Amino acid sequence: LQESRGTAPVFSAERLAAYASIVGQEKMSELYRLGEALQGVKVQQINSARFGGGVAEMLYSVIPFEKSLGLDVSWDVITAGTDFFVYTKTLHNFLQGKDNDLDLSGHRIYWETNRNNAGLIRDDAEIVFIHDPQPAGLIEYISPEIRQRQKWLWRCHIHLSHEHENVFHFLEGLIARYDLAVFSSGKFLPPWEGVTPAVILPYIDPLAEKNRDLPGETIRAICHKYGLEDLDKKPLILLVSRFDPFKGHHFALEAFRLVRRELPCRLLMVGGTASDDPENEAIFHRLQEEARGVSDVLLLNLPPDSHVEINAFQRAASIILQPSIKEGFGLTVSEAMWKEKPVIGGDVGGIPGQITDGYNGFLISPGEKGIAEMARRIRYLLLNPAFAREMGKRGKEAVRERFLITRGIRDEMMIFDSLLS
Ligand code: UDP
């Protein structure tokens, strides 16, 4: 798997040393100590997409990192048809509070697909770590003897909104069977008893292709390829997100429309497909229609492995927007802050955990109300570049402190350790 992306299956000594130079030797030594205690422990991570979206993004770094520390970690992805992903995306949207008709008859495809994937589960795994609702049903199909030997963790990466009781009932029955449920924010803990919850804030890998330093010429060449020239005269405002109903593309476009009347700037909205997200194309086309007639807007739908391109756009941008109306965490916020960019983000889900309003970024109201606020903040940042730079620097330090992979790996290993002891 890692070879297919040109990365070693474990990180090299140089790479581990490079983490130490970013976070300090003390933090790395702590990881080595935890790794000693967990030598050879068999962990199986399972999700529903190899590419696209925040979960795949994290797993690409977590697997080689934990292997480098001595754990026997593997990553499997369930196989499923379009019907299943249409159903689970509806479930995902419903869990995040989108008022839609959740077709409960779709459960059949949910359980069938999980049953068909049950053969993925490693009998020898000591810890089975399931990500998000799609593969959560696998636990139903494990034999009692094997289940008894294993610890099962369910990790929820989405913004659980507490409005829909019947979805919570659906989840409750499922999650109660797990030994531990991990959430991305204390705000998402479910309202029922009988689940042991934990919180792991998400994290980015500063050395991944998405985040590593890039030479100026690479950034310029990539911008040139997409027609983004003269960025000093027409600064770039960027939104990176899957084309999804909660990511706030429409609000970003409206705010840009207001600012563009007064100041030269351009808007790039870049997204891509995730194999478990069937909504991408329709939302992309709708947005294209909306953007018709607004000058200086570029919409790009890129393949999900366009990490260097996204890295370059984030580095070329003057301001980064993430005006989500629901957000499990929003890795794109930390990615942008790590690149010293001021981020204007929706005050929802995991975003306020990353941005301290007015200090290392700006928070705005989610939805229509946020359009004028966003436009005001964009104008302010465009007119005060020294302040924008300072804000970006503070953002980077906040990420170094709290949102790098080294902290995430430590949190995970501490959970593994406590589950096994
Ligand atoms: N991403 C990407 N290409 C895209 C859109 C997003 O590589 O076209 C990446 C983005 O850089 C981030 C992740 O996908 O690393 C999205 O994670 P986030 O937590 O922001 O949102 P999610 O997609 O998980 O809801």
Side-chain angles (χ1 to χ4, degrees):
L1 157 68
Q2 269 75 31
E3 284 90 335
S4 70
R5 290 186 82 210
T7 326
V10 292
F11 287 151
S12 63
E14 290 76 32
R15 179 136 176 185
L16 294 171
Y19 287 112
S21 70
I22 294 170
V23 298
Q25 188 54 49
E26 206 180 308
K27 289 199 169 118
M28 282 304 287
S29 302
E30 191 185 358
L31 293 187
Y32 289 124
R33 268 198 307 278
L34 283 164
E36 295 268 297
L38 293 168
Q39 282 305 295
V41 167
K42 296 179 175 54
V43 182
Q44 183 178 24
Q45 309 240 17
I46 303 180
N47 80 326
S48 60
R50 189 72 76 190
F51 302 103
V55 181
E57 187 78 23
M58 286 197 271
L59 289 175
Y60 265 110
S61 293
V62 162
I63 308 295
F65 206 138
E66 291 182 348
K67 281 175 89 167
S68 308
L69 296 169
L71 284 74
D72 176 359
V73 196
S74 58
W75 173 15
D76 290 287
V77 177
I78 56 166
T79 23
T82 311
D83 288 4
F84 174 81
F85 288 129
V86 168
Y87 174 70
T88 54
K89 187 66 199 293
T90 313
L91 175 63
H92 170 113
N93 289 344
F94 198 66
L95 285 171
Q96 296 209 133
K98 188 174 176 204
D99 225 355
N100 53 24
D101 289 329
L102 182 69
D103 175 12
L104 293 170
S105 66
H107 274 183
R108 192 184 47 80
I109 185 80
Y110 181 81
W111 293 112
E112 246 174 47
T113 305
N114 271 279
R115 192 180 57 232
N116 293 342
N117 280 279
L120 279 180
I121 297 160
R122 276 170 65 181
D123 289 355
D124 67 342
E126 291 155 84
I127 293 175
V128 181
F129 202 163
I130 301 285
H131 297 267
D132 279 337
Q134 297 92 328
L138 287 171
I139 196 165
E140 194 70 27
Y141 301 104
I142 183 84
S143 79
E145 311 84 78
I146 295 175
R147 172 69 186 93
Q148 198 206 332
R149 294 201 305 264
Q150 296 179 328
K151 297 292 179 191
W152 279 62
L153 272 79
W154 181 64
R155 179 153 184 187
C156 176
H157 295 271
I158 57 188
H159 183 153
L160 283 188
S161 116
H162 287 222
E163 293 131 43
H164 295 292
E165 260 184 51
N166 54 343
V167 175
F168 270 98
H169 284 315
F170 169 73
L171 275 183
E172 185 175 5
L174 204 57
I175 302 317
R177 308 172 67 106
Y178 280 74
D179 295 293
L180 192 79
V182 183
F183 299 88
S184 294
S185 159
K187 285 185 266 179
F188 305 154
L189 300 188
W192 62 72
E193 311 232 329
V195 175
T196 310
V199 173
I200 300 183
L201 299 175
Y203 40 82
I204 62 162
D205 180 353
L207 300 176
E209 277 182 326
K210 175 70 58 62
N211 298 311
R212 67 182 162 80
D213 285 344
L214 285 182
E217 67 209 60
T218 308
I219 300 172
R220 280 189 294 278
I222 289 173
C223 287
H224 176 74
K225 179 172 167 199
Y226 292 96
L228 300 167
E229 309 283 1
D230 295 330
L231 295 184
D232 44 343
K233 296 199 194 81
K234 241 189 218 182
L236 180 65
I237 301 168
L238 174 70
L239 167 56
V240 174
S241 269
R242 287 180 295 109
F243 292 104
D244 170 282
F246 295 104
K247 297 293 189 181
H249 294 93
H250 162 75
F251 308 115
L253 182 62
E254 289 307 306
F256 175 77
R257 212 195 278 267
L258 296 174
V259 178
R260 172 73 186 69
R261 285 190 204 138
E262 298 162 27
L263 295 169
C265 52
R266 73 180 92 212
L267 176 66
L268 168 62
M269 296 203 264
V270 54
T273 30
S275 50
D276 59 352
D277 182 355
E279 289 188 297
N280 175 70
E281 288 293 323
I283 295 180
F284 180 70
H285 291 304
R286 212 159 51 229
L287 212 53
Q288 267 183 327
E289 283 304 310
E290 256 187 72
R292 212 180 286 279
V294 190
S295 318
D296 293 317
V297 176
L298 176 61
L299 297 180
L300 285 179
N301 202 353
L302 294 184
D305 59 350
S306 309
H307 303 293
V308 181
E309 285 79 359
I310 288 178
N311 187 346
F313 294 143
Q314 287 169 329
R315 289 179 188 280
S318 296
I319 299 169
I320 297 192
L321 309 176
Q322 191 56 66
S324 308
I325 49 176
K326 295 276 168 163
E327 190 59 80
F329 178 68
L331 286 182
T332 50
V333 172
S334 277
E335 286 168 5
M337 291 165 79
W338 182 246
K339 292 159 188 124
E340 302 191 13
K341 302 300 170 176
V343 183
I344 305 174
D347 191 2
V348 289
I351 297 179
Q354 299 172 77
I355 295 177
T356 304
D357 188 28
Y359 178 70
N360 57 20
F362 284 120
L363 292 172
I364 52 162
S365 311
E368 294 288 338
K369 199 165 156 238
I371 295 173
E373 292 171 24
M374 190 170 7
R376 210 164 44 242
R377 301 308 189 209
I378 296 174
R379 256 186 234 112
Y380 184 77
L381 290 167
L382 288 176
L383 294 171
N384 296 280
F387 177 82
R389 270 195 301 279
E390 185 55 29
M391 197 170 232
K393 287 203 168 74
R394 293 180 198 146
K396 181 167 190 175
E397 289 320 305
V399 174
R400 191 194 307 277
E401 198 53 44
R402 301 184 61 202
F403 300 116
L404 293 184
I405 188 168
T406 39
R407 195 230 68 234
I409 298 273
R410 186 198 59 185
D411 291 352
E412 276 193 24
M413 290 205 299
M414 284 172 67
I415 285 180
F416 296 163
D417 196 43
S418 67
L419 276 174
L420 294 174
S421 56

